[in-house]
Structure formats: C-alpha cells, structure tokens
Amino acid sequence: MELLFREDPYLATTRARVVSAATGGLRLDRTIFYPEGGGQPGDSGRLLLPDGTALEIVDTQKGEGPDEVIHILAEGSSLPEPGTEVGLELDWERRHRHMRVHTSLHLLCSLIDGEVTGGQIGDGKGRLDFNLAQSPDKVWLEEELNRLVKADHTVQPRWIDEAELAARQELVRTMSVKPPSGTGRVRLLEIEGVDLQPCGGTHVRSTGEIGRLEVGKIENKGRQNRRINLRLA
Ligand SMILES: [Zn+2]
C-alpha cells in the first residue's frame, strides 16, 4: 500500500482502488488516511463510490503488514467490490489540528531536557510525559514555545539507514515509541535548528502554521514523571 501522507501530509483528496473489503475494514492500493500510531489518532473522512454514494470512514488503524492500513467504515455500510475505483476525502480540519498539535509536541520535546516516556495527541490538544525530577516553569515554557512558533522554522521529513540510526542513538528521544524498523531505512522529522528525531506522523510545513500555543496543566505522575499538556489557543 502506498502511504501518500508520508511525503505529502497536505493531500486531502485522492483516487484509489479497493484491494479488499470486509466488515472489519477496507484495504486500498494507496491512501491519504493516517492510521493511529505514535500517539496520533487515526484519520476519519469519506470514501466516494463511482455512483456518487459517500461512505463514512470513521477510523483508520494499522494492519499486520509494515505498510498496511485498514480503513474502518461506519456500521452498516455496503461494502464496495475489490477493484472499484473510489475517491478519498479526509476530514481535513481535524487532521490539520492533529498536524499542528503533533508538530508542537516536537517543539516541547526540544525545550525539555528529559527522556520522553509517553504521549498523546487529541483534537486541538496534546501531551508528553517526561522522565524529569522538577517541573519546568509554565510561564517560561509557554513563552519559549511561542517564540519557536513565531520564528517559523521549516519542518521536513528525511530518511536515514537503520545502521546510521543505530550509530546515532542520541536521536531517539521517545523510548516508549520505537521508530518503525525492518524496512532498512527510518524516517526522521527535522525542525530546522530545533529538533531532529525519528517520527512517522504527520506535521505542518513550518512552525508558524501551528499558531499560538497555551501550556495547560503540568502534572506530577510519580516522582520522576512530569506530564505537560499543550493546547492550540
Ligand atoms: Zn512527529
């Protein structure tokens, strides 16, 4: 399956062909739908049949294979035949909020000097857990985040060999989410001059597109664990 969101997360519509369809989900030859993973929710949207009927895609999940994506249709949808040419349409506003929040968590990561032990992206908000003894100052953190947003740093993916990554373990910040491996190369996400780490998610093109950020609660989740909440203002 061709994962179009990897090279172009701004593709909101495309054409695809049905490979298989079952009540458990739909497989296509290519997709713009991001499957839940790395703390980012699966995409939702619509699948358009040749006769104009629109089927709701309520969620997207990873399949068993490395690049397999399962599109989950609303209950009771009539299933298209394999080989059918369909149109795909994302719930773009929702996905774009995921992209903005996801990119903001990379900024947060660059400002906090502690291992990331978990994280979650929601609609308009997100959080990271850090292995950290002391909470950072909230006012300072919000100012620094918005300084990075305003500076409008370029955000882009690039790929390196697994062997090169193995030799540069300092790039791996998130111990709870291992970078996808087994295909010989690993996708890195670079925010120019700010952050570089393996990541398979979807991001905005430049940090200015995130818009103003607010730091929510900073929670103590154990002696060495600080949970930092962010939201789009
Ligand atoms: Zn990312």
Side-chain angles (χ1 to χ4, degrees), residues 38 40 102-103 105-106 121 187 189 195 197-203:
Q40 184 173 329
H102 188 135
T103 310
L105 294 184
H106 283 269
I121 293 161
R187 185 180 192 265
L189 196 276
D195 188 48
Q197 61 175 298
C199 188
T202 59
H203 311 83

Side-chain angles (χ1 to χ4, degrees), residues 105-157:
L105 294 184
H106 283 269
L107 299 183
L108 176 60
C109 202
S110 77
L111 291 169
I112 304 293
D113 188 19
E115 180 194 321
V116 177
T117 56
Q120 191 68 51
I121 293 161
D123 195 354
K125 59 183 182 169
R127 60 173 161 83
L128 286 179
D129 290 353
F130 293 93
N131 188 353
L132 201 64
Q134 289 258 307
S135 287
D137 181 72
K138 203 168 145 171
V139 174
W140 168 83
L141 184 58
E142 192 167 297
E143 272 174 16
E144 289 299 303
L145 284 166
N146 285 301
R147 187 178 55 78
L148 292 171
V149 167
K150 277 216 187 87
D152 204 18
H153 295 277
T154 301
V155 180
Q156 56 196 355

